[in-house]
Amino acid sequence: MIFAIICRQVNFVICNHRPSTQSFEMENNTDHTDQNNFSPLTVQEVDIDFLPIVYEIIRSVERDFHDNSAKARESQDCSLKVLELQKKFDIARSQVKRLPGIEYNKQDQLKQFEILRTQLQLKRELLQKYRNMCSFETSFK
Amino acid sequence: MASHLSTKDRLLSLIDDMELIAKEIIEVSIAPKPQKLSAADHAQLTDLLLSKDAELKKTLDLADEQATIQQKMNELKAEVDNKDQDIHHLQRQLKDAEQILATSLYQARQKLASIVKSRKRPVSSEELIKFAHRISASNAVSAPLSWQPGDPRRPYPTDLEMRLGMLGRLCDLPLNGHTPSTLNELHRITTGGVPASATNQFTWHPSGELHMSVGGGNSVAIDGRSKDAPTQEDVEVMSTDSSSSSSSDSQ
């Protein structure tokens, strides 16, 4: 019975791999508001602790129960954990999209940084040139 | 991992990989015994999941570095925008200054040309003042303060002067079909062949009197206060024409 429930959950998760994001968001209002918020995040705020949940799911599956009621309870817990894992993956994706400065790889970003510095230097020189160019010829021929 | 991918794509790809591996592990775990993977394969999958997790954490560290660089870039961009505004402001000011200078230069050149012209043909200031005094003394530019109706002194040509002028002689033109084609010809006809340069009606004499040229090379001294009968008569005609306006001016 546990296997049947978990199989159903896993199939559901696999079949709704990407489009399921919206349905899970709708289930949790607090996460929903977080997802709609496009303010930039720091890396420390991104939750990527997937391994503990995976471990708990595997442990639940491999545990042997003699009592049927305990089996049913454990299967329910397991299915909830699968859902939680799926939600965690989706939240991690949305959080990664809100991280600043990762639209390019590091090399390209450094190139752009150099371009900006050069641009600023040129503009400073131009301003200096404009400020120093006011020397008028006063002699009349 | 391909280096041309952006860090965001790499992170999302790693999360996708981890999701797939985790699901694979769970599926394998719940599969019936005959379909279960061997322990080695299971361990391989687990290792793969762990390596992906480590790679994800490493890439997140890289993302942290890139966030710091991005912050510096934002500061640089703000400074660049600031400099842009300064440059635009300066360019506008320089443009205005250029326009003002161009106008001043044009006027200065005109004045320089006038100075050069005046140096080529110098006029004695004393003569100029005398001439100016004579012009104002003959009431050529404004009526005297004590002007009354019937007074011949006017700031405009009198009837006699008009008749003696070129316009007054137009009626004496020969009407034999010959019409003057040029201004010089017209001038020659009206002045009896005297060149235009020699026919200034008013000429300055050192004696201080203003003379008006008439036909035949004679010149008549003009005295604003003369009371000759024909002049008086002509003036009377003019004064009756203009008395209303003069009186209205004086009011």
Side-chain angles (χ1 to χ4, degrees):
Chain A
M1 181 167 177
I2 295 174
F3 291 159
I5 293 170
I6 294 173
C7 276
R8 221 182 309 132
Q9 290 295 340
V10 169
N11 282 334
F12 171 76
V13 166
I14 290 170
C15 292
N16 298 290
H17 179 60
R18 284 294 168 83
S20 61
T21 310
Q22 293 301 322
S23 59
F24 282 114
E25 282 170 10
M26 293 296 283
E27 284 171 17
N28 193 332
N29 281 334
T30 53
D31 289 337
H32 181 66
T33 51
D34 280 344
Q35 306 244 340
N36 280 339
N37 187 2
F38 291 105
S39 61
L41 278 181
T42 60
V43 170
Q44 287 73 29
E45 289 171 291
V46 180
D47 185 11
I48 52 158
D49 288 333
F50 307 118
L51 294 187
I53 302 178
V54 175
Y55 169 72
E56 282 176 23
I57 292 168
I58 294 168
R59 201 182 60 173
S60 314
V61 169
E62 291 182 348
R63 196 180 290 170
D64 283 333
F65 293 99
H66 299 291
D67 187 8
N68 278 339
S69 62
K71 267 187 184 177
R73 213 181 317 117
E74 191 63 27
S75 70
Q76 273 188 344
D77 285 350
C78 197
S79 62
L80 282 177
K81 277 171 190 162
V82 170
L83 285 175
E84 192 187 340
L85 180 65
Q86 173 63 41
K87 199 169 77 181
K88 206 157 187 153
F89 277 122
D90 290 334
I91 290 171
R93 278 193 198 95
S94 65
Q95 283 179 333
V96 162
K97 285 173 188 166
R98 285 163 60 192
L99 286 176
I102 54 168
E103 280 75 20
Y104 303 96
N105 59 34
K106 198 176 176 183
Q107 286 76 24
D108 289 347
Q109 197 187 23
L110 285 174
K111 270 184 203 166
Q112 289 201 339
F113 185 69
E114 278 306 310
I115 288 168
L116 264 179
R117 272 175 61 178
T118 315
Q119 207 178 353
L120 183 63
Q121 185 63 27
L122 286 173
K123 284 181 192 295
R124 275 183 182 153
E125 284 172 11
L126 184 65
L127 266 174
Q128 203 60 35
K129 187 180 152 193
Y130 276 151
R131 281 176 184 146
N132 293 335
M133 72 185 290
C134 298
S135 58
F136 293 103
E137 184 65 44
T138 51
S139 65
F140 293 102
K141 290 180 181 176
Chain B
M1 185 63 65
S3 62
H4 64 272
L5 276 179
S6 71
T7 309
K8 183 193 271 185
D9 290 341
R10 281 174 66 188
L11 282 170
L12 291 175
S13 157
L14 281 169
I15 291 172
D16 290 347
D17 289 349
M18 283 187 77
E19 190 178 19
L20 277 175
I21 295 164
K23 279 167 191 168
E24 188 67 28
I25 290 173
I26 294 166
E27 271 190 70
V28 166
S29 302
I30 60 175
K33 277 197 176 175
Q35 294 172 13
K36 273 199 174 183
L37 286 177
S38 64
D41 292 342
H42 204 281
Q44 233 177 355
L45 268 180
T46 313
D47 286 344
L48 190 61
L49 185 64
L50 289 175
S51 71
K52 289 287 176 188
D53 187 62
E55 199 179 340
L56 182 63
K57 281 174 180 158
K58 204 174 148 188
T59 315
L60 273 176
D61 286 343
L62 180 69
D64 199 18
E65 284 176 32
Q66 286 191 250
T68 314
I69 296 171
Q70 182 66 33
Q71 199 180 346
K72 285 181 189 169
M73 281 176 73
N74 288 342
E75 287 167 12
L76 272 180
K77 272 180 195 167
E79 207 169 342
V80 165
D81 286 345
N82 201 15
K83 296 288 174 205
D84 263 346
Q85 280 184 354
D86 285 353
I87 288 170
H88 284 141
H89 186 64
L90 261 177
Q91 275 179 339
R92 204 166 43 241
Q93 281 186 338
L94 283 172
K95 199 78 187 162
D96 290 347
E98 186 195 10
Q99 201 172 352
I100 292 167
L101 279 174
T103 313
S104 309
L105 208 60
Y106 176 72
Q107 289 173 350
R109 278 186 184 143
Q110 275 188 329
K111 282 186 182 174
L112 277 173
S114 303
I115 289 167
V116 170
K117 198 175 167 185
S118 64
R119 275 179 185 164
K120 278 182 185 169
R121 298 173 61 189
V123 178
S124 161
S125 57
E126 277 187 30
E127 287 289 311
L128 203 64
I129 292 164
K130 271 185 193 172
F131 193 60
H133 187 261
R134 175 53 60 187
I135 290 170
S136 53
S138 65
N139 300 310
V141 290
S142 64
L145 288 173
S146 58
W147 189 88
Q148 293 289 328
D151 193 336
R153 295 172 294 168
R154 299 294 167 91
Y156 50 81
T158 58
D159 198 26
L160 174 67
E161 289 162 358
M162 285 298 288
R163 281 182 194 171
L164 290 172
M166 193 173 73
L167 286 173
R169 290 181 177 212
L170 276 176
C171 55
D172 299 337
L173 286 174
L175 297 172
N176 54 0
H178 176 71
T179 52
S181 57
T182 61
L183 193 64
N184 274 338
E185 197 177 350
L186 181 69
H187 203 272
R188 201 186 66 243
I189 291 164
T190 52
T191 55
V194 182
S197 58
T199 55
N200 285 334
Q201 284 197 343
F202 295 94
T203 52
W204 174 252
H205 284 259
S207 60
E209 288 184 338
L210 194 64
H211 285 251
M212 187 174 68
S213 302
V214 294
N218 299 325
S219 76
V220 176
I222 297 172
D223 188 357
R225 286 154 295 195
S226 68
K227 302 288 182 186
D228 291 339
T231 311
Q232 180 68 26
E233 189 183 328
D234 290 332
V235 166
E236 280 300 324
V237 173
M238 292 292 289
S239 66
T240 47
D241 289 339
S242 60
S243 60
S244 57
S245 62
S246 299
S247 58
S248 63
D249 287 339
S250 61
Q251 280 171 0

